[in-house]
Amino acid sequence: RDEITALWKQFKARNLNEEEQKLATAYEEKRAIYVKDGLMAASAALLQGDYMAAAKINGTVVQPAYQNAKAAADALREYYAKTGRGLYETAQADFQWSTRLMIALVVLVILLIAGFAYVLGRSITRPIGHAVGVAERVAAGQLDNRIEVVGNDEAAVLMGALQRMQGELKFKQTRIDALNFEIARLKRWRFGSS
């Protein structure tokens, strides 16, 4: 009994809303009748050896008072079960919403990363692709390509190197063509005058 009383005082020390207060007061009143008018009276009759009075108190006071106190306790318990269920459902809904939000954010971040990677990749592969095209045309002997060097990144350095290489090859090709022309002229002169 003392343990229950201590727990009850601890419970009542909490901030109770109006409904909790009403249910708690009803339980407290019915428990007081059960303990004071029922258990304590029956206990006193037993201590005096009046077993008939104790049995009568048990049948007329203790049992009905117990049922009333139990009903009041059940009403309080049902109130907490109902409000707990509502809180749980609200928490579940919040959790599901948070989960959906996190999934949406993860998808958004992945899309942003993919977009950034695509743009970055294109900014690298497009100039390299252009440089490969120029190199292939130079390798095929086309030495009059228009090579633009834009920026100062690695692709621009590569384009600058290709531009210089093309210039050098064009210069050497022009020198070779001039030397071939001179050799042919000398051959004609040498074989033409003999």
Side-chain angles (χ1 to χ4, degrees), residues 34-56:
Y34 169 68
V35 171
K36 183 179 169 198
D37 297 345
L39 292 180
M40 291 179 82
S43 180
L46 286 172
L47 287 175
Q48 292 174 358
D50 191 354
Y51 300 112
M52 292 302 279
K56 184 179 179 186

Side-chain angles (χ1 to χ4, degrees), residues 119-188:
V119 169
L120 181 65
R122 292 290 293 159
S123 72
I124 293 170
T125 58
R126 182 176 265 159
I128 298 298
H130 181 65
V132 167
V134 168
E136 287 175 346
R137 287 191 300 276
V138 168
Q142 185 181 350
L143 301 176
D144 57 351
N145 297 295
R146 185 171 172 251
I147 301 175
E148 291 182 28
V149 179
V150 179
N152 58 359
D153 59 358
E154 289 82 4
V157 170
L158 177 61
M159 294 305 284
L162 284 171
Q163 187 180 47
R164 287 189 303 280
M165 181 182 75
Q166 179 178 275
E168 287 293 319
L169 287 173
K170 193 172 188 179
F171 173 75
K172 288 179 182 177
Q173 185 64 46
T174 304
R175 287 276 295 157
I176 289 171
D177 289 346
L179 287 172
N180 282 337
F181 179 75
E182 189 60 30
I183 290 171
R185 191 182 66 79
L186 287 174
K187 279 184 183 178
R188 277 193 313 270

Side-chain angles (χ1 to χ4, degrees), residues 6-21 24 76 79-80 83 87:
L7 287 171
W8 184 251
K9 283 182 181 177
Q10 194 177 15
F11 172 79
K12 290 282 283 187
R14 293 179 38 238
N15 257 349
L16 303 177
N17 66 34
E18 187 178 324
E19 183 69 18
E20 288 174 305
Q21 187 64 46
L76 188 59
Y79 170 79
Y80 282 117
T83 56
L87 290 172

